[in-house]
Amino acid sequence: MKLTRRCGILLHPTSLPGPFGSGDFGRNAYYFVDWLSSARQSLWQMLPLGDIGAGNSPYMSPSAFAGNVLLIGLDALREAGWLKDEELVPDASFEEYRVNFPAVIAFRISRLKLAASRFRESASEQARLAFENFCDKTGFWLQSYALFKTISEVYGAIWQEWPKPLAKQQPAAIDAFVSGHPNEIHFWKFCQWCFHEQWTALRSYAHSKGIDIIGDVPIFVSLNSADVWANPELFDLDSSGYPLAVAGVPPDKFSDSGQHWGNPLYHWNRHAETRYDWWLKRMKHMMDTYDYIRLDHFRGFQAYWAIPADTEIPAEGKWMPGPGNAFFDAMKKEFGPLRFIAEDLGVITPEVNELRKKYELPGMRILQFAFDRNPANPYLPYHYNHDTVAYTGTHDNDTIKGWWNTLPEQDRDFARRYLSVSGDWINWDLIRAAWASTAALALTPYQNILGLDSSARMNRPGEKTGSWEWRFAWKQVESWPSAYLAEITEIYGRSYSR
């Protein structure tokens, strides 16, 4: 991957302002692109754009391919004639600075169902043709996804608890179900088409402003997903479809007790037998969606932490060998130079570093991990190489102000002396340090541009509720931060023309 000095902002689209309870691909996403352009930023990084799952997490999606239907801009559906003005009155339970997911899901899904019904009744020939072409192109995942979502609505349970003929995908049972639920299956396909059309338009607009998109691909998928249901042989499951072991990590910088994610683990030998066909299709889809990909939990491709399915204690897991070179050889053979950023955080061994360097993937460095008074700390900027992406923090970290308020005084003193600052403007001090570093790319979450405290934190690893809900309002965005960010972008040589 060719690396030039660039910089940008991490902000998930659900965190955008908007009248319908959460951000989406509507007009506020375009306004944010304009803000990025005014600040001379050339990268917009997002969290996974897939449907959310347990805990409203974008890392527990019911599909490794489908987009989050909550991101569909409803105003565009009104402009198409599929929704009416009176159907788009915001719900009283919507919150300005937080996504109230139950209210948002109920409101948006009901409107999307109205739009799908009117599309079936009155769509133009051009729209119908575009929809059919989309269904044909994405059929390798769209049909099983739409079926999975529809069966889930009908039976209201995880797929392992569905009637056995459906859980086991017996052809006669599937055919009968499809015949009995054509409109419901059509609805989920319609939503994915709307997502694709709106995302394509937004990404094109970003490109017109000189901005590339960094996407995020979770290494694991949810147990209750179309992928596991449709391809159980590719996962480490028992005969009933339940995992023999689940994913997580041992204690690390993000969590003193480790993390129990609960995702099923891959049956890597089966993937190898298919020459990684499912993964190649997945990554082709992602590379068509984004310009660059942050490959989540990169170390899991070298070795992953397997926690026995009968325990909730992460420390009881053990390291198991991942696919390693064979996986990335297959990727490189199929795609050529890999536009991946390796999320190489956590317990990183020399073998993980060797794998990353062999395939010329830039790694990540987090400034919030740097100031423990240890000169050998790899997160201190003087240790950075060019093949590095410098972050002030990620979505898993506290905001800079929140982090600073809880940092031990000795570490704060070291940070002040290292950076030669008072710490009174610590969010901008860390942004400047990242931008000034030798790392090829530098990014910061948008909360730090706004100078927000811990109440604006996006995720708290290891906690199952209360995350992914933060959003901002335009009244929080003063005029000077974009000008100041543009200035330091120029000073540190990160201005970039696409």
Side-chain angles (χ1 to χ4, degrees):
M1 185 167 108
K2 184 179 179 181
L3 292 171
T4 56
R5 285 181 67 80
R6 303 177 66 176
C7 54
I9 299 296
L10 168 58
L11 179 82
H12 197 50
T14 56
S15 295
L16 289 163
F20 306 122
S22 66
D24 55 34
F25 295 155
R27 65 190 66 175
N28 284 283
Y30 289 79
Y31 297 158
F32 185 69
V33 169
D34 292 340
W35 186 93
L36 289 170
S37 178
S38 72
R40 302 190 68 174
Q41 302 307 287
S42 61
L43 298 169
W44 180 4
Q45 180 174 334
M46 304 172 177
L47 304 182
L49 291 178
D51 269 350
I52 59 174
N56 304 314
S57 171
Y59 292 90
M60 293 293 282
S61 177
S63 172
F65 296 87
N68 183 355
V69 302
L70 303 181
L71 291 173
I72 297 169
L74 299 181
D75 283 331
L77 304 185
R78 172 172 52 192
E79 292 166 6
W82 304 329
L83 289 176
K84 300 176 181 178
D85 290 346
E86 59 269 24
E87 294 164 347
L88 293 180
V89 177
D91 192 283
S93 62
F94 291 162
E95 300 180 34
E96 191 171 28
Y97 299 112
R98 173 181 169 269
V99 181
N100 179 350
F101 277 103
V104 167
I105 291 169
F107 182 91
R108 287 180 176 268
I109 293 297
S110 66
R111 273 60 181 179
L112 289 170
K113 287 185 174 181
L114 286 172
S117 175
R118 290 173 184 142
F119 174 86
R120 288 194 299 271
E121 296 168 356
S122 61
S124 67
E125 186 63 26
Q126 182 180 8
R128 289 184 189 278
L129 182 60
F131 171 71
E132 290 169 4
N133 287 340
F134 170 79
C135 292
D136 289 342
K137 183 179 179 181
T138 59
F140 70 93
W141 64 265
L142 185 62
Q143 180 66 15
S144 60
Y145 163 80
L147 260 172
F148 178 85
K149 294 291 286 187
T150 303
I151 300 172
S152 296
E153 281 198 323
V154 171
Y155 290 100
I158 60 174
W159 66 265
Q160 294 87 345
E161 297 177 6
W162 293 348
K164 190 172 181 179
L166 292 174
K168 295 292 186 180
Q169 303 176 74
Q170 294 178 6
I174 294 296
D175 289 345
F177 187 88
V178 169
S179 297
H181 300 85
N183 290 344
E184 293 90 338
I185 293 169
H186 173 273
F187 166 73
W188 292 109
K189 294 182 178 180
F190 168 80
C191 287
Q192 289 306 309
W193 173 64
C194 290
F195 177 97
H196 174 266
E197 294 293 295
Q198 292 189 13
W199 170 247
T200 300
L202 176 60
R203 184 183 173 201
S204 295
Y205 183 74
H207 287 172
S208 76
K209 296 288 186 175
I211 296 162
D212 285 328
I213 306 296
I214 301 177
D216 194 316
V217 174
I219 182 173
F220 297 115
V221 300
S222 172
L223 175 64
N224 195 35
S225 67
D227 310 285
V228 181
W229 170 63
N231 308 281
E233 72 283 358
L234 297 179
F235 299 87
D236 191 17
L237 310 175
D238 65 19
S239 60
S240 298
Y242 289 97
L244 298 170
V246 297
V249 289
D252 60 15
K253 289 180 180 292
F254 286 110
S255 175
D256 291 338
S257 59
Q259 299 177 52
H260 183 284
W261 297 334
N263 308 76
L265 299 171
Y266 295 105
H267 197 314
W268 282 117
N269 288 340
R270 296 276 174 79
H271 283 274
E273 289 168 3
T274 66
R275 299 181 182 180
Y276 302 99
D277 178 67
W278 180 86
W279 268 101
L280 290 172
K281 288 176 179 176
R282 183 188 187 191
M283 297 311 293
K284 173 64 165 61
H285 181 71
M286 295 296 106
M287 293 173 78
D288 288 343
T289 302
Y290 309 116
D291 300 298
Y292 303 97
I293 292 169
R294 174 189 178 270
L295 198 56
D296 174 58
H297 198 55
F298 173 79
R299 73 105 53 244
F301 291 101
Q302 192 278 324
Y304 56 91
W305 191 249
I307 304 170
D310 60 358
T311 180
E312 291 281 330
I313 302 173
E316 294 184 5
K318 62 179 180 179
W319 291 110
M320 297 292 290
N325 291 335
F327 177 89
F328 289 100
D329 285 343
M331 294 292 127
K332 197 166 184 178
K333 181 179 179 181
E334 183 75 13
F335 304 122
L338 302 176
R339 294 178 278 120
F340 299 164
I341 295 169
E343 188 269 285
D344 54 346
L345 305 177
V347 181
I348 303 302
T349 64
E351 292 80 9
V352 177
N353 285 327
E354 181 182 343
L355 184 67
R356 178 181 68 80
K357 291 176 181 179
K358 179 176 181 178
Y359 296 94
E360 300 179 305
L361 309 181
M364 292 172 55
R365 292 294 179 267
I366 311 300
L367 271 171
Q368 287 186 21
F369 295 160
F371 304 107
D372 61 357
R373 293 164 281 125
N374 175 12
N377 186 320
Y379 296 100
L380 285 167
Y382 59 63
H383 289 300
Y384 294 178
N385 296 317
H386 181 67
D387 64 339
T388 296
V389 185
Y391 288 82
T392 59
T394 73
H395 63 279
D396 285 329
N397 292 101
D398 203 343
T399 66
I400 293 176
K401 281 196 172 180
W403 162 79
W404 186 253
N405 289 338
T406 58
L407 197 65
E409 179 54 35
Q410 285 182 310
D411 293 351
R412 281 196 284 186
D413 178 66
F414 178 75
R416 284 190 290 259
R417 288 186 290 116
Y418 182 95
L419 299 169
S420 190
V421 300
S422 68
D424 294 339
W425 219 27
I426 191 62
N427 53 314
W428 284 103
D429 295 334
L430 254 64
I431 292 169
R432 286 184 72 107
W435 265 234
S437 75
T438 58
L441 308 182
L443 292 122
T444 190
Y446 198 53
Q447 294 95 314
N448 300 322
I449 300 295
L450 303 181
L452 302 178
D453 60 20
S454 297
S455 63
R457 185 168 181 167
M458 192 63 170
N459 182 40
R460 292 173 172 80
E463 298 183 16
K464 296 185 177 180
T465 59
S467 293
W468 319 112
E469 298 174 352
W470 173 76
R471 62 195 299 239
F472 76 94
W474 286 116
K475 62 187 177 185
Q476 294 176 285
V477 184
E478 300 180 70
S479 60
W480 66 265
S482 62
Y484 183 67
L485 189 58
E487 179 183 342
I488 65 173
T489 296
E490 181 177 0
I491 287 172
Y492 295 121
R494 295 191 181 277
S495 296
Y496 175 83
S497 298
R498 192 174 189 279

